[in-house]
Amino acid sequence: AVVAQHGDIRRSDELHREALELATRLGHAPSLRFLLPELASNAYFLGDWDHVLATTERYESEAAAGNPHLRHQLLASRSGVRIARDDVAGGLADALSAVEIGREAADPQALGPSLSWAIYANHVAGRRLEAEAALDEVVADPQLADYAYQPHSQLVGVELGRVDDVRRAVEGWVPSRWKEASLALLRGDLAIAADLYHEAGSLPEEAFVRLRAARDFATQGRRAEADHQLDLALAFWRSVGATRYIAEADALRAQAATA
């Protein structure tokens, strides 16, 4: 988890797999229950979304039987998958459930990432007041802001005119690729931010930011650069069936072609 927090999802995944192999060999059930959601989180970032959905479904079934371990992490990842696949209602429901579980846990590591993602989920669902309330809560508490890595929600903050608040929160983080990427994003260097997300192994974040970079380039009349960013974003979105963002990219390309 520490490796991931410093911005190396690929290495984090390798270490988690090694730990899973050891825990399986030893038959250590508590370690297995911890590691499987961590691997599902890695799978979200690395683009194995079928694994995310299967693991979440398994843990949701077990939660119904009274074992809620690490559900917030899985629900937030599934929320990202669902929104990307244009199931906004399902994605919002997962995001709100993750926040509720995070509050019950009374742990910033559980609430911070869940509440940060809920900024974006609420925004996409047209719930501006709820998005602003979640943003207010995150930027007001450094313990929560430490886990607010998602560029989706940072860009909502920019759209809401809160870039200075978001920047202050990010500046309080320890040095990491996440911090470098977020600061690049907040100063408008979206292509640079996307490159940093790629280096981190955070592929949905990379593709999301590339889509926004393409939009900015197209607005500036920089067609070749916009097309390049769209090509890179679409390669990932198509690989995971992210119909919402595929449609957005296709519409942007068509609009640029007629400009």
Side-chain angles (χ1 to χ4, degrees), residues 95-196:
L96 297 181
S97 293
V99 171
E100 182 179 353
I101 294 165
R103 292 196 190 284
E104 290 172 356
D107 180 356
Q109 292 185 75
L111 181 57
S114 301
L115 192 60
S116 176
W117 178 255
I119 297 168
Y120 177 69
N122 277 299
H123 181 74
V124 168
R127 291 158 49 98
R128 176 176 176 138
L129 292 178
E130 289 82 355
E132 289 181 330
L135 178 61
D136 287 342
E137 188 172 355
V138 168
V139 299
D141 187 336
Q143 287 189 301
L144 298 179
D146 277 348
Y147 299 95
Y149 295 126
Q150 301 98 334
H152 308 63
S153 298
Q154 293 168 8
L155 286 169
V156 171
V158 173
E159 290 183 32
L160 295 175
R162 303 286 299 280
V163 64
D164 289 339
D165 292 333
V166 176
R167 184 182 292 110
R168 276 192 293 270
V170 171
E171 286 173 346
W173 297 353
V174 298
S176 69
R177 277 201 185 97
W178 307 123
K179 183 174 185 177
E180 291 177 50
S182 295
L183 290 174
L185 179 149
L186 292 169
R187 65 175 180 263
D189 291 332
L190 298 183
I192 292 173
D195 288 343
L196 287 164

Side-chain angles (χ1 to χ4, degrees), residues 71-96:
R71 284 179 63 219
H72 68 278
Q73 186 172 337
L74 291 165
L75 288 170
S77 294
R78 189 173 71 178
S79 172
V81 173
R82 284 179 158 176
I83 291 174
R85 291 178 173 173
D86 226 7
D87 177 11
V88 173
L92 176 63
D94 279 347
L96 297 181

